[in-house]
Amino acid sequence: MAFYLLERDREGGQRLAQLLAQAIKQVGHCQHCRTLCEKALCSICENKNRDHSLLCIVEGPAHLAAIEQTGGYHGLYFVLSGHLSPIDGIGPEEIGIDSLAVRLTQGAVREVILATSATVEGEATAYYIADLVKSHGISATRIAHGVPMGGELEYIDGGTIAKALADRTMV
Amino acid sequence: MAFYLLERDREGGQRLAQLLAQAIKQVGHCQHCRTLCEKALCSICENKNRDHSLLCIVEGPAHLAAIEQTGGYHGLYFVLSGHLSPIDGIGPEEIGIDSLAVRLTQGAVREVILATSATVEGEATAYYIADLVKSHGISATRIAHGVPMGGELEYIDGGTIAKALADRTMV
């Protein structure tokens, strides 16, 4: 990209630089859910038609975008700054779990959906938050793990197959 | 592979040809579960230590191998010859569902786990068999669908995320 801009599109490079500087200055965090936005509250938190009793916890703004793209979720979000990673010195406060605890005391939330990744750190973060959520008397749910849509069993890793078998559901 | 054998290892090619001919002649299907084996009954069906009340339906021997590799399943299998595909003229009898129906009348099975793939044809096959299983008064369960182990939400398709949210479980 650097070579392309320097060799063929210096004007575009200039525009990109300006827009980037502008974004760095203007894009902040939503006061309510901590996602990236240019106003005090993001469009999702401001939307009265969404279900304010449902709170989905994600690891970052890109994960929020992935869920929004499905068009199937109508609750609110709480965006962490990554996941717990004690080895790297990243504890609950570094990723914003203290703000989440404050939000849970405000009473509007009925169910917290733990949508952290299915990685070791994501699971640990989900367990930690589940304890916090349950201590406030709120339901905690975890997104399902198993065979992805379109997945042929033959090409799927053993861990996922074992989890899919263990979590089988009645039909 | 053909070039390698012809240019560098004609002896190996000869051996491969013999073994292949031998396999074609000797490898048949287990009378009980229809997987590939050299005897009347495969080692899984013969094993008295496995749970004979649990029957896992898969689309082929490779899928059976994928589940066996996890080491976490201790029931028996029933191996279909693929999945239902009415457009290609493949109906229940072509994939062996008639033999499955016979097996279900024999009374030993308490739960049938539908482990067909998460593809359109795999789902259709699972639905068809679930009806059959329930008509015999036996429990039918489906393997879980959702985010695969190690999966980062950001890189997962929308269909899988939507399913993972819909199938969320209490923690």
Side-chain angles (χ1 to χ4, degrees):
Chain A
M1 187 173 126
F3 283 117
Y4 175 83
L5 290 174
L6 290 172
E7 292 276 19
R8 309 197 179 198
D9 192 7
R10 287 190 170 244
E11 206 179 294
Q14 185 62 42
R15 251 192 344 267
L16 182 62
Q18 277 162 4
L19 285 170
L20 188 55
Q22 197 179 326
I24 297 292
K25 208 186 287 174
Q26 290 176 2
V27 177
H29 292 271
C30 171
Q31 285 170 8
H32 206 216
C33 74
R34 297 171 32 111
T35 195
L36 295 170
C37 77
E38 295 189 36
K39 294 186 292 178
L41 282 183
C42 71
S43 59
I44 296 172
C45 288
E46 269 185 350
N47 188 341
K48 294 251 161 60
N49 293 323
R50 296 190 74 120
D51 183 351
H52 284 237
S53 69
L54 212 53
L55 190 68
C56 182
I57 314 286
V58 292
E59 287 179 21
H63 295 205
L64 181 155
I67 294 180
E68 277 300 290
Q69 249 182 354
T70 70
Y73 177 68
H74 301 293
L76 300 187
Y77 294 92
F78 187 86
V79 181
L80 301 172
S81 317
H83 43 239
L84 293 177
S85 186
I87 285 174
D88 306 311
I90 297 173
E93 271 152 52
E94 278 76 19
I95 65 172
I97 293 182
D98 46 344
S99 317
L100 174 63
V102 173
R103 172 126 179 216
L104 293 178
T105 60
Q106 291 163 3
V109 179
R110 214 172 18 84
E111 178 187 343
V112 169
I113 303 174
L114 302 159
T116 52
S117 292
T119 54
V120 175
E121 294 90 350
E123 290 295 338
T125 309
Y127 275 109
Y128 185 91
I129 298 177
D131 277 346
L132 173 72
V133 168
K134 286 189 275 188
S135 76
H136 284 81
I138 298 168
S139 295
T141 55
R142 181 82 172 108
I143 52 169
H145 294 156
V147 178
M149 303 312 283
E152 298 243 14
L153 235 63
E154 193 177 344
Y155 305 113
I156 291 181
D157 66 290
T160 298
I161 294 181
K163 183 78 178 150
L165 275 169
D167 288 358
R168 64 187 184 269
T169 51
M170 288 295 281
V171 285
Chain B
M1 189 174 125
F3 284 117
Y4 175 82
L5 290 174
L6 290 172
E7 292 276 18
R8 310 198 178 198
D9 192 7
R10 287 189 170 244
E11 205 181 293
Q14 186 62 42
R15 256 197 334 273
L16 182 63
Q18 277 162 3
L19 284 169
L20 187 55
Q22 197 180 325
I24 297 293
K25 209 187 287 172
Q26 291 176 2
V27 176
H29 291 271
C30 171
Q31 285 169 8
H32 206 216
C33 75
R34 298 170 32 109
T35 195
L36 296 170
C37 76
E38 295 188 37
K39 295 186 291 179
L41 283 183
C42 71
S43 59
I44 296 172
C45 288
E46 272 185 348
N47 188 341
K48 294 252 161 59
N49 294 324
R50 296 189 72 119
D51 183 352
H52 284 236
S53 69
L54 212 54
L55 190 68
C56 182
I57 315 285
V58 291
E59 288 179 21
H63 295 206
L64 182 154
I67 294 180
E68 277 300 289
Q69 251 182 353
T70 69
Y73 177 68
H74 301 292
L76 300 187
Y77 294 91
F78 187 85
V79 180
L80 301 172
S81 317
H83 44 238
L84 292 177
S85 184
I87 285 174
D88 306 312
I90 298 173
E93 271 152 51
E94 279 75 21
I95 64 170
I97 294 183
D98 47 344
S99 318
L100 175 63
V102 173
R103 172 126 180 215
L104 292 179
T105 60
Q106 292 165 1
V109 179
R110 215 171 18 82
E111 178 187 343
V112 169
I113 303 174
L114 302 158
T116 52
S117 292
T119 56
V120 175
E121 295 90 350
E123 290 294 338
T125 309
Y127 275 110
Y128 185 92
I129 299 177
D131 276 345
L132 173 73
V133 168
K134 285 189 275 188
S135 76
H136 283 80
I138 297 169
S139 296
T141 53
R142 182 82 173 110
I143 52 170
H145 294 155
V147 178
M149 303 312 283
E152 298 242 15
L153 235 64
E154 193 177 345
Y155 305 112
I156 291 182
D157 66 291
T160 298
I161 293 181
K163 184 78 178 149
L165 275 169
D167 289 358
R168 64 187 185 270
T169 50
M170 289 295 282
V171 284

